Amino acid sequence: MKIILDNRLVQKRLLPFTATRHTADIRVGILTIREKFLFNNNCEVFDSYEDYFIKYPGTKEHPVNLDANILPDETWIDNLINELKIPGNGGFALTEGPSLKILNYPWDIFKLNDWALRKDFKLITTGRNSQDIPASNKTMYDAEIFIEAGAKVEHCILNATDGPIYIGKNAVIMEGSLLRGPVAICEGSVVKMGTKIYGATTVGPFCSVGGEIKNSVLFGFSNKAHDGYLGDSVLGEWCNLGAGTSNSNVNNNAGEVKYWFDADKKEISAGNKGGLLMGDYSKAAINTSFNTGTIVGVCCNVFAAGLTPKLITDFSWGVDGITRYELNKALIDIDNWKKLKGQNITDREKQILTNIYKLY
């Protein structure tokens, strides 16, 4: 089945994370939206009709067009495939239910992460055997713990009583770490000594984490490597939180948390919990204190005395809303950060960031 995951109507609803990526490449649970479809061997995914017709010029076959902000499980995808085999069926209702969730706003990424973690864990591990859990660890409910080849886990506490724990290929969980599921530590990531991770948390590929983390998603290649609290939050790729940085996720009056969502130019309630939403390539100085319900855009260098403002726009230098992160310096700094993980900034990244910079 050929599927277009359509970004056009949903991209602005999920900023800042869709400023630098297609919506289908948002990670919720263990996998990105795109990967959830591709895990099914009957699915071929395209970003647009243009990409589809480049690969299949002149074809008369019509692909299935779906908004890219959906989170399907395996059952929903199988039902979609089966329904579209019936002659005359040309549509499929996108209605939330036990097998399908929808990202309407960026904070839905952490709000739906528990659901997505459980679905992805089942999808990835069914019919496979975990590596043996080293005897030095203290574990609870071993049947819901899965360790991929090459991962190193010693002298830790792994509690899967309330949800599964997935540890990806070549991940390192250092001694003294406490993981309480549902949790995913993806390929190549490092959990530093004595880290406390509560569900529902996803540490994406090649991240480094420490301190205390709860109900948060790190897309990949990002660092929250020191003491401090990250809760009900989402970090994009190539972000860095300095030592001692923490965020608030609950108002002092325990009331509604509202995000100043730039796409709508108004405050929108996210319920009674909401932390930091940080776009790609952004970083924060040591001991930064992020306010409840804060959105940080792409490529920001955040430093402030006291609590930060609740909306920090793309390419901010500090938090005054006036001083900008100069483009060429930002690109050099990103390249320096990427070199720490054996990569370099690409021409495509430079072009995307240049286009964002020119919007202001």
Side-chain angles (χ1 to χ4, degrees):
M1 181 175 65
K2 298 174 178 62
I3 298 171
I4 305 257
L5 289 176
D6 197 334
N7 198 41
R8 293 172 297 178
L9 297 179
V10 300
Q11 185 262 345
K12 289 185 178 180
R13 307 293 292 175
L14 295 167
L15 293 170
F17 305 111
T18 49
T20 46
R21 66 174 49 76
H22 193 284
T23 300
D25 294 314
I26 288 175
R27 186 178 306 278
V28 191
I30 302 171
L31 304 171
T32 66
I33 295 170
R34 185 188 308 277
E35 289 168 345
K36 296 177 199 300
F37 281 95
L38 293 177
F39 212 91
N40 189 309
N41 292 327
N42 294 312
C43 292
E44 187 175 6
V45 175
F46 299 88
D47 288 353
S48 65
Y49 281 100
E50 181 181 9
D51 290 345
Y52 172 72
F53 287 115
I54 287 173
K55 184 168 183 180
Y56 295 103
T59 183
K60 294 183 179 180
E61 180 184 1
H62 193 73
V64 179
N65 189 77
L66 301 171
D67 285 337
N69 63 332
I70 60 174
L71 303 179
D73 72 0
E74 185 178 23
T75 299
W76 190 90
I77 294 173
D78 287 341
N79 288 343
L80 173 66
I81 293 170
N82 291 332
E83 182 159 327
L84 291 172
K85 288 179 181 177
I86 301 172
N89 277 15
F92 199 83
L94 296 179
T95 303
E96 284 196 285
S99 292
L100 181 74
K101 303 297 179 184
I102 298 174
L103 298 177
N104 293 303
Y105 291 103
W107 46 89
D108 290 331
I109 296 170
F110 70 75
K111 292 173 78 73
L112 294 174
N113 201 47
D114 186 295
W115 180 90
L117 270 168
R118 297 173 193 273
K119 296 290 187 178
D120 286 351
F121 182 87
K122 181 180 178 182
L123 180 67
I124 289 173
T125 64
T126 296
R128 301 177 61 219
N129 293 321
S130 169
Q131 301 299 303
D132 291 338
I133 303 172
S136 67
N137 297 288
K138 171 67 176 177
T139 62
M140 285 159 272
Y141 202 27
D142 291 16
E144 289 289 284
I145 300 172
F146 194 95
I147 302 176
E148 297 280 8
K152 298 178 180 178
V153 190
E154 296 282 0
H155 299 284
C156 299
I157 296 178
L158 309 176
N159 183 355
T161 304
D162 292 333
I165 295 175
Y166 174 83
I167 300 175
K169 179 181 177 183
N170 297 328
V172 177
I173 318 297
M174 292 185 180
E175 54 270 25
S177 294
L178 313 174
L179 277 62
R180 184 181 181 89
V183 164
I185 310 298
C186 296
E187 179 181 356
S189 283
V190 176
V191 177
K192 300 181 77 174
M193 290 191 298
T195 301
K196 296 177 287 187
I197 302 180
Y198 301 84
T201 291
T202 297
V203 178
F206 304 101
C207 292
S208 180
V209 298
E212 182 178 4
I213 305 173
K214 173 252 181 186
N215 193 35
S216 295
V217 179
L218 288 74
F219 283 2
F221 301 97
S222 289
N223 302 323
K224 183 244 174 280
H226 303 286
D227 286 342
Y229 176 72
L230 185 72
D232 299 290
S233 295
V234 182
L235 303 185
E237 292 189 345
W238 301 104
C239 296
N240 188 75
L241 301 184
T245 295
S246 291
N247 76 275
S248 169
N249 63 334
V250 179
N251 285 322
N252 285 343
N253 62 3
E256 286 185 308
V257 175
K258 294 183 179 181
Y259 286 93
W260 185 263
F261 189 53
D262 194 52
D264 288 320
K265 304 295 183 184
K266 61 182 180 181
E267 284 191 308
I268 299 176
S269 174
N272 63 1
K273 289 188 178 181
L276 170 65
L277 306 176
M278 176 177 274
D280 292 353
Y281 312 107
S282 287
K283 47 193 175 287
I286 61 169
N287 295 320
T288 301
S289 297
F290 284 102
N291 213 331
T292 318
T294 294
I295 296 178
V296 176
V298 170
C299 207
C300 297
N301 186 19
V302 180
F303 50 91
L307 286 172
T308 63
K310 293 187 63 174
L311 179 62
I312 301 172
T313 55
D314 300 333
F315 284 91
S316 287
W317 181 271
V319 296
D320 61 13
I322 300 172
T323 309
R324 300 195 73 194
Y325 202 156
E326 196 271 325
L327 178 61
N328 289 335
K329 176 172 173 51
L331 297 179
I332 291 170
D333 291 348
I334 291 168
D335 191 51
N336 289 336
W337 278 106
K338 295 194 73 171
K339 285 176 180 175
L340 294 178
K341 294 183 186 280
Q343 297 192 33
N344 294 96
I345 192 170
T346 65
D347 290 340
R348 183 174 182 273
E349 287 175 303
K350 290 178 182 178
Q351 188 59 60
I352 289 172
L353 292 170
T354 299
N355 292 341
I356 294 171
Y357 188 85
K358 289 179 178 179
L359 291 174
Y360 292 87

